[in-house]
Amino acid sequence: MITKPDGIDTDDKVEETISTILNVLRSKIGGDDDQARRCSVDIISLRFVDKDRFQEQDGEDRLKKARFLRVLRSVVPPADECGCAVVVNGYENAEMGMAGLCHGVHLREREAAYLKELRERWAVDKKLNSDRYGRILIGLSVHSVDVACESVDFGDRPDYFLVGTAFPTLSHPEKVDSKDFEGPELAGLVKKKIIDKLSSKNQSDSKLVSPPLCISIGGMNASNCHIPMVYGADGVAVIGAISTSKEPGKAAWDLRQSMKSAMN
């Protein structure tokens, strides 16, 4: 789940964002005792500000920073309780993520070179490491096989890729023609190529044993989210299908059930 970009623009939007996330965290998978407490989403990415950086001298940005931290401190503890990771979006927000004790950072495609630095910075203070992962969780957005393959050569590798854009989406209004979309099959293709690349390397390097998860993004809803799974994706990421729903918890559960149908 990815939050709406304007989720901290006002105090009312902050409350709405927190309420939506808590509603999703209460949507349980069900099943046996080990799975029953887990919520319907595995990762919540807080993507609010697409600016290059918060400017401390700007009063509005200071206010948004305070709101960002408020969301973090409201949702990270309950997320911990149901096995869900919370990450902040963007390299410039890593410090806030640390202050809010979240689980990691999601990097934009152009920020892949920061992978190793972030792991080292996060590990300095052991209490900031997630007990679940034992280290910072890092995601990376990619839009091609080549960029994904290059990212594993930066001295580290991401834990997951967000691979897009699968379908038409309001997040990318500039993409209007079918040729502008990378398509729902790209995540599965990236996964195959990464596995091939890693298998050709020296497997004694423990960092290269398991490939990053490949998660499809872009225009996902309950009626189409199973399609990337058919092509080999490990999961899907959504914004509007959950955050604009009147019942975000149910929407998350419905999405998960649709993806499961592709694996049966």
Side-chain angles (χ1 to χ4, degrees):
M1 172 189 171
I2 301 174
T3 57
K4 292 191 293 186
D6 64 352
I8 57 172
D9 282 1
T10 67
D11 287 337
D12 286 344
K13 287 185 180 294
V14 169
E15 292 304 318
E16 178 185 337
T17 297
I18 293 172
S19 176
T20 296
I21 293 174
L22 293 181
N23 191 293
V24 169
L25 291 175
R26 287 192 290 268
S27 63
K28 307 301 183 184
I29 295 175
D32 58 41
D33 290 341
D34 185 50
Q35 292 292 321
R37 73 181 185 85
R38 296 185 64 85
C39 71
S40 296
V41 299
D42 299 303
I43 301 173
I44 295 174
S45 180
L46 304 180
R47 186 173 75 179
F48 297 128
V49 182
D50 289 327
K51 300 170 67 175
D52 286 339
R53 186 174 299 277
F54 283 104
Q55 299 295 324
E56 288 299 333
Q57 69 271 23
D58 188 302
E60 180 64 20
D61 284 332
R62 284 200 304 272
L63 181 57
K64 284 190 175 182
K65 181 175 181 179
R67 290 170 176 161
F68 202 144
L69 285 171
R70 181 178 168 192
V71 173
L72 274 168
R73 289 164 178 165
S74 297
V75 304
V76 169
D80 272 331
E81 293 177 4
C82 59
C84 178
V86 178
V87 301
V88 295
N89 189 82
Y91 173 77
E92 76 279 2
N93 292 322
E95 294 292 339
M96 270 192 295
M98 293 180 188
L101 298 180
C102 76
H103 303 93
V105 180
H106 182 81
L107 297 175
R108 305 174 183 89
E109 190 170 63
R110 65 180 182 270
E111 297 172 335
Y114 293 118
L115 276 161
K116 184 177 181 181
E117 177 202 331
L118 277 177
R119 289 221 194 274
E120 292 173 348
R121 284 172 58 197
W122 210 278
V124 169
D125 192 334
K126 298 299 183 184
K127 75 174 184 293
L128 295 179
N129 282 329
S130 165
D131 292 337
R132 190 179 315 116
Y133 299 103
R135 63 175 186 166
I136 181 179
L137 181 70
I138 299 181
L140 178 68
S141 292
V142 296
H143 297 83
S144 71
V145 170
D146 290 342
V147 171
C149 288
E150 289 170 6
S151 73
V152 301
D153 293 326
F154 281 112
D156 209 310
R157 60 164 179 76
D159 297 288
Y160 68 91
F161 292 114
L162 281 191
V163 186
T165 306
F167 302 109
T169 171
L170 294 176
S171 296
H172 288 283
E174 76 282 1
K175 295 185 177 183
V176 294
D177 194 277
S178 59
K179 64 180 175 60
D180 296 329
F181 298 95
E182 288 76 15
E185 68 279 2
L186 183 58
L189 181 59
V190 167
K191 181 179 178 180
K192 181 181 183 303
K193 294 296 185 180
I194 289 293
I195 290 174
D196 290 345
K197 180 181 178 68
L198 296 184
S199 65
S200 68
K201 290 179 174 287
N202 182 358
Q203 292 302 292
S204 64
D205 187 342
S206 61
K207 292 181 180 179
L208 301 177
V209 171
S210 59
L213 297 176
C214 292
I215 301 170
S216 187
I217 186 173
M220 294 296 169
N221 56 56
S223 66
N224 65 15
C225 65
H226 65 285
I227 299 176
M229 307 297 289
V230 172
Y231 285 108
D234 293 301
V236 303
V238 300
I239 304 176
I242 292 178
S243 61
T244 63
S245 172
K246 293 181 179 179
E247 299 180 276
K250 182 180 183 302
W253 192 89
D254 289 344
L255 284 158
R256 196 172 191 105
Q257 296 307 305
S258 178
M259 286 189 290
K260 284 177 63 177
S261 70
M263 297 181 281
N264 294 333

